[in-house]
Amino acid sequence: MIIIDARSPNTSVRLFSLTLLERLLRQLNEMGEKNAVVLLPPDMPLIRFLRKKFAKRYKIRITEFQTAESLESVIKSRFSNEPFMIILEGDCVYDERIIRTLKEHPDELMIYDETQTRSPLAIRITNDSIRRLQPTGAALIKLTEESSIEKKSTQSMNAYLRFLRKTVTPVLRRISEKEDLRAIENDLFAKTYKGGLELIGTYGYRIPVRGLTKLCARAGITPNQITGVATVCRFGAIPFLAIGWLWTGLLLAAIFIILDSLDGKLARLTWRLSVIADKVDHWGVLPSRIGYYA
């Protein structure tokens, strides 16, 4: 079971036009999680944190509780039959590798960022440990600090991302409205870029793609829509090149290059991944290149 304590006011902070809570729920859905429990402040329904079409798009089943009780009291009273649980916070950004490590770990585990004075809560814990808390309710984070629960820092985790061909330390970060949200978005965007790109990929269209990613996220444009337009431009350039309309063909090819980068960034930053769109994108590489050379 995954429990998200989303009672911090900063849960509603938006990155790429998504509240931190919706971003986390989308992430869990894409990772195959079927259920999640969300703790919310009184008189603050879940619908206020989600986009209107969330339920149609994502299959994850969400159980919400509006309560002012302490996290420990809620767990004791409502989830005493659960053998273990993963506890996260709604005002934080969690790297996929952190959540996956917690899910796959056979025993209790706490993951933290050693560079932060107050690292976000990321813990896999059993009910036995929860029961050891005093009835008055000591802070759960204090329990993890004082107990024998295994602890692992993000700096000690495997940081190499094979898909991106580069090393990136897993992100575990608490977000507040006082922070420079634009800088945080730029940092998350930079982490989605693949390593070993050519010069034009690194310095040429990174800035326009970054701006377009934010614009598309705000407008609700989906990565699949971007992939569809990119595919039309990719193959549409070939007949123009064939009949000698060189600049028109090159313009379509240039638009395709930008959109081909944009759809992946948008998908990873808004957690709208599509296996079919990814296959369409990769299957079109060889035929289109043969067409360009011909």
Side-chain angles (χ1 to χ4, degrees):
M1 169 180 284
I2 292 184
I3 300 176
I4 303 171
D5 190 350
R7 293 177 292 181
S8 165
N10 297 325
T11 299
S12 59
V13 169
R14 294 180 181 270
L15 294 179
F16 294 99
S17 298
L18 296 176
T19 64
L20 293 172
L21 178 57
E22 179 170 355
R23 185 183 191 279
L24 180 55
L25 290 172
R26 286 189 181 198
Q27 183 179 12
L28 292 173
N29 180 87
E30 296 293 349
M31 293 177 65
E33 194 63 36
K34 294 181 172 57
N35 300 282
V37 174
V38 178
L39 305 184
L40 296 166
D43 303 319
M44 187 71 72
L46 180 65
I47 192 67
R48 294 182 61 174
F49 296 92
L50 307 180
R51 291 192 174 187
K52 293 181 179 179
K53 295 184 179 180
F54 181 90
K56 294 181 179 179
R57 165 67 181 169
Y58 298 96
K59 298 179 180 179
I60 185 170
R61 181 184 175 190
I62 305 168
T63 304
E64 62 176 293
F65 292 101
Q66 297 176 34
T67 177
E69 295 181 77
S70 68
L71 177 59
E72 297 81 9
S73 298
V74 173
I75 294 174
K76 285 182 177 181
S77 61
R78 300 181 184 273
F79 309 111
S80 58
N81 294 327
E82 293 292 330
F84 73 89
M85 59 206 73
I86 293 172
I87 303 175
L88 309 172
E89 293 184 278
D91 60 346
C92 304
V93 173
Y94 292 91
D95 194 289
E96 177 185 0
R97 290 168 288 176
I98 292 173
I99 299 174
R100 197 172 300 283
T101 299
L102 292 173
K103 290 178 63 175
E104 295 175 353
H105 196 74
D107 206 346
E108 294 182 311
L109 175 67
M110 182 182 77
I111 299 178
Y112 67 99
D113 185 338
E114 61 188 33
T115 66
Q116 300 185 42
T117 55
R118 183 169 172 255
S119 185
L121 195 60
I123 183 172
R124 176 188 175 103
I125 193 169
T126 66
N127 241 310
D128 290 337
S129 292
I130 298 294
R131 292 191 194 100
R132 289 199 296 269
L133 290 173
Q134 296 299 320
T136 53
L140 180 61
I141 190 65
K142 191 171 182 63
L143 169 72
T144 62
E145 290 172 351
E146 295 178 351
S147 70
S148 59
I149 293 176
E150 180 183 350
K151 302 170 184 65
K152 177 183 290 188
S153 71
T154 54
Q155 287 72 21
S156 68
M157 298 176 66
N158 182 13
Y160 183 71
L161 292 172
R162 184 176 180 183
F163 174 71
L164 296 178
R165 302 190 295 275
K166 67 179 182 180
T167 298
V168 179
T169 301
V171 179
L172 179 58
R173 180 171 184 173
R174 191 182 304 279
I175 307 296
S176 71
E177 292 178 319
K178 296 180 180 179
E179 294 184 85
D180 186 349
L181 299 180
R182 182 178 179 181
I184 295 173
E185 288 182 337
N186 290 342
D187 180 60
L188 292 175
F189 176 82
K191 286 180 169 62
T192 66
Y193 252 89
K194 293 182 178 179
L197 285 175
E198 68 281 1
L199 188 65
I200 190 171
T202 303
Y203 301 102
Y205 53 82
R206 175 175 292 210
I207 293 177
V209 169
R210 183 175 61 195
L212 286 171
T213 300
K214 295 180 181 180
L215 180 63
C216 290
R218 194 179 310 121
I221 298 173
T222 69
N224 282 359
Q225 292 170 338
I226 300 296
T227 301
V229 176
T231 302
V232 171
C233 293
R234 165 186 255 164
F235 291 100
I238 296 174
F240 286 105
L241 294 173
I243 64 176
W245 289 30
L246 181 62
W247 290 111
T248 303
L250 290 176
L251 177 61
L252 286 174
I255 294 173
F256 155 69
I257 290 172
I258 292 176
L259 296 182
D260 186 47
S261 177
L262 173 61
D263 60 0
K265 308 295 179 297
L266 185 63
R268 288 190 285 274
L269 290 169
T270 61
W271 285 96
R272 292 199 64 166
L273 309 178
S274 172
V275 176
I276 295 178
D278 186 60
K279 289 182 178 180
V280 168
D281 186 28
H282 286 86
W283 287 346
V285 173
L286 185 59
S288 61
R289 289 186 178 179
I290 291 175
Y292 291 155
Y293 289 130

